[in-house]
């Protein structure tokens, strides 16, 4: 009896995969909870369980078909997903719709449908996400929704290496948000925890601002008051990415202001100062060509920093060491910039 049952399920699954039918289809929600049909146990967190028909789930998922038909499993662990997401998954398999999909269960359901390779549900999740993105109106009244789609898109990018969702979000933000709104969005969402951001989040900030030096420089400046012990690694990373932009028009008064403020950060080390100076030196001829008046002020600021640098103790001997390599490089960099 078992072999015949397995054979029938196998035939149905093969037929479904080869013809593209019948999923998604309505198998009937009224069948849910049937002790006769629902013989596959889905094991949730906290020792909870849900039951479903192995036939219905196998028609939707080749992975579940393999587990139940080839490996003859009668239970599957799904404790990586929330109970709400698993219920939505089962309901969708039975009804052929994603009526129970919400913003709250989207992340786990999207993850689950990829794990179990349910193509039509993948498309449904992408459509659902796209509809939310389309509601963005370019005002801070939608900050919660904007923050939500950014987080979900970055999660997909990080876990699945899929840039499709984040590109959708970036395109929409660039379409409907003006410069001030984008600056406010980034400051509200990231500036206070800048030092704790992961690389993929920093890359998003750079991508969303890479064509607008005003936005990224204002974002960096907004973060500087949080620094008490020199530059953190994330600030340096963004500055280096910013330095990749060779467009001379990218160097505005906002960028000039940022460099002046960088030199005033509390607790700058000789290495920090060298980093800032050399970064600015790379672009100084561009600044000089486009904003002579502003960069004259920078020159005066750099000149003041020479005296500061001369008072920095050598990190090796802890004396005021004029022969220290860091001192010599930093001092020479400053003099080169203001010459």
């Amino acid at each position: 009896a078992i072999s015949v049952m397995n054979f029938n399920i196998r035939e149905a699954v093969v037929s479904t995969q080869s013809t593209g039918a019948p999923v998604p289809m309505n198998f009937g929600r009224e069948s849910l909870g049937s002790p006769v049909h629902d013989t596959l146990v889905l094991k949730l967190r906290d020792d909870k369980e849900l039951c479903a028909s192995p036939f219905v789930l196998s028609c939707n998922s080749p992975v579940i078909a393999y587990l139940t038909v080839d490996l003859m499993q009668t239970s599957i662990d799904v404790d990586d997903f929330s109970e709400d997401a698993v219920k939505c998954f089962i309901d969708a398999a039975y009804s052929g719709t994603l009526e129970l999909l919400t913003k709250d269960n989207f992340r786990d359901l999207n993850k689950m449908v990829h794990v179990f390779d349910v193509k039509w549900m993948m498309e449904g999740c992408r459509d659902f996400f796209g509809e939310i993105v389309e509601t963005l109106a370019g005002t801070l009244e939608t900050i919660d929704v904007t923050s939500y789609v950014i987080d979900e898109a970055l999660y997909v990018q990080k876990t699945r290496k899929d840039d499709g969702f984040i590109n959708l979000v970036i395109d929409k933000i660039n379409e409907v948000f003006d410069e001030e709104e984008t600056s406010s969005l980034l400051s509200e969402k990231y500036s206070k925890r800048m030092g704790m951001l992961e690389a993929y989040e920093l890359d998003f900030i750079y991508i969303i601002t890479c064509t607008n030096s005003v936005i990224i420089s204002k974002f960096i400046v907004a973060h500087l008051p949080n620094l008490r012990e020199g530059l953190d690694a994330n600030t340096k990373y963004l500055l280096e990415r910013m330095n990749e932009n060779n467009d001379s028009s990218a160097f505005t008064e906002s960028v000039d202001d940022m460099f002046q403020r960088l030199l005033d950060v509390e607790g700058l080390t000789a290495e920090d100062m060298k980093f800032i100076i050399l970064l600015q030196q790379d672009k100084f001829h561009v600044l000089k060509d486009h904003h002579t008046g502003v960069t004259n002020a920078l020159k005066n600021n750099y000149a003041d920093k020479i005296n500061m640098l001369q008072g920095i103790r050598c990190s090796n001997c802890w004396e005021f060491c004029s022969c220290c390599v860091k001192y010599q490089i930093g001092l020479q960099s400053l003099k080169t910039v203001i010459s």
Side-chain angles (χ1 to χ4, degrees):
I2 294 177
S3 62
V4 172
M5 182 184 297
N6 287 342
F7 175 80
N8 290 337
I9 293 177
R10 184 192 301 274
E11 288 296 305
V13 171
V14 170
S15 175
T16 296
Q17 293 171 346
S18 62
T19 63
V23 293
M25 72 169 290
N26 185 5
F27 287 94
R29 285 192 178 103
E30 62 274 10
S31 300
L32 275 170
S34 167
V36 176
H37 300 120
D38 294 354
T39 57
L40 179 64
V41 178
L42 302 178
K43 295 184 176 181
L44 303 163
R45 300 165 185 166
D46 302 322
D47 297 324
K48 293 183 179 180
E49 295 179 347
L50 291 172
C51 294
S53 164
F55 171 76
V56 173
L57 297 192
S58 293
C59 283
N60 283 271
S61 165
V63 175
I64 293 178
Y66 173 75
L67 294 174
T68 57
V69 177
D70 290 40
L71 301 185
M72 294 187 288
Q73 289 186 200
T74 58
S75 65
I76 300 175
D77 290 329
V78 290
D79 52 358
D80 283 340
F81 318 107
S82 69
E83 181 177 351
D84 195 29
V86 177
K87 286 181 177 179
C88 181
F89 179 86
I90 296 172
D91 180 83
Y94 274 76
S95 67
T97 69
L98 285 168
E99 291 181 14
L100 300 186
L101 178 57
T102 67
K103 288 196 296 184
D104 291 334
N105 64 28
F106 167 78
R107 177 180 293 193
D108 272 3
L109 181 70
N110 188 51
K111 182 168 63 172
M112 188 173 184
V113 300
H114 279 86
V115 168
F116 291 108
D117 193 25
V118 186
K119 296 293 193 296
W120 75 267
M121 291 191 199
M122 293 181 199
E123 294 175 5
C125 286
R126 188 173 293 273
D127 291 343
F128 174 84
F129 184 80
E131 290 173 3
I132 297 175
V133 171
E134 283 303 311
T135 66
L136 303 186
T139 67
L140 292 184
E141 293 177 1
T142 61
I143 183 69
D144 290 341
V145 178
T146 306
S147 181
Y148 169 82
V149 295
I150 290 172
D151 288 342
E152 295 306 316
L154 288 176
Y155 178 82
V156 171
Q157 183 188 51
K158 179 185 178 183
T159 57
R160 295 197 46 76
K161 312 302 180 188
D162 179 358
D163 294 335
F165 282 28
I166 196 62
N167 288 338
L168 191 67
V169 173
I170 289 172
D171 289 345
K172 189 62 178 181
I173 289 176
N174 287 335
E175 175 189 339
V176 300
F177 278 65
D178 61 26
E179 180 181 290
E180 191 62 36
E181 288 166 340
T182 302
S183 295
S184 297
L185 169 67
L186 294 177
S187 294
E188 177 76 18
K189 186 168 178 59
Y190 292 120
S191 64
K192 291 183 179 179
R193 59 187 188 92
M194 170 82 158
M196 299 179 289
L197 297 181
E198 297 186 51
Y200 70 94
E201 294 174 297
L202 295 171
D203 287 336
F204 166 74
I205 293 170
Y206 171 72
I207 291 170
I208 203 72
T209 62
C210 65
T211 58
N212 193 321
S213 62
V214 173
I215 296 177
I216 192 168
S217 58
K218 284 184 176 180
F219 173 74
I220 292 173
V221 166
H223 169 62
L224 296 184
N226 301 317
L227 300 178
R228 294 291 183 271
E229 299 178 358
L231 299 183
D232 58 25
N234 283 355
T235 301
K236 289 183 177 180
Y237 179 80
L238 272 186
L239 287 167
E240 287 173 337
R241 292 299 308 270
M242 185 179 178
N243 197 42
E244 295 171 6
N245 188 350
N246 292 318
D247 181 5
S248 61
S249 64
F251 292 87
T252 64
E253 291 188 16
S254 295
V255 179
D256 287 330
D257 177 66
M258 178 192 70
F259 275 105
Q260 291 193 64
R261 291 173 182 268
L262 282 168
L263 289 167
D264 292 327
V265 168
E266 290 184 28
L268 282 182
T269 65
E271 199 65 31
D272 288 337
M273 199 172 298
K274 171 189 169 185
F275 172 83
I276 296 168
I277 293 164
L278 293 181
L279 197 67
Q280 175 67 349
Q281 187 179 352
D282 286 343
K283 301 299 182 183
F284 194 79
H285 66 283
V286 178
L287 285 164
K288 186 162 54 179
D289 290 341
H290 289 266
H291 303 287
T292 304
V294 177
T295 51
N296 281 337
L298 267 179
K299 286 184 180 182
N300 294 332
N301 199 353
Y302 282 136
D304 292 340
K305 297 303 178 184
I306 287 180
N307 294 328
M308 179 188 297
L309 188 62
Q310 288 173 329
I312 293 177
R313 290 179 180 270
C314 171
S315 60
N316 296 318
C317 64
W318 295 102
E319 297 295 335
F320 295 117
C321 177
S322 62
C323 64
C324 172
V325 174
K326 288 183 181 179
Y327 167 86
Q328 290 289 354
I329 292 175
L331 184 60
Q332 185 58 44
S333 298
L334 278 167
K335 289 181 176 178
T336 299
V337 169
I338 67 170
S339 62

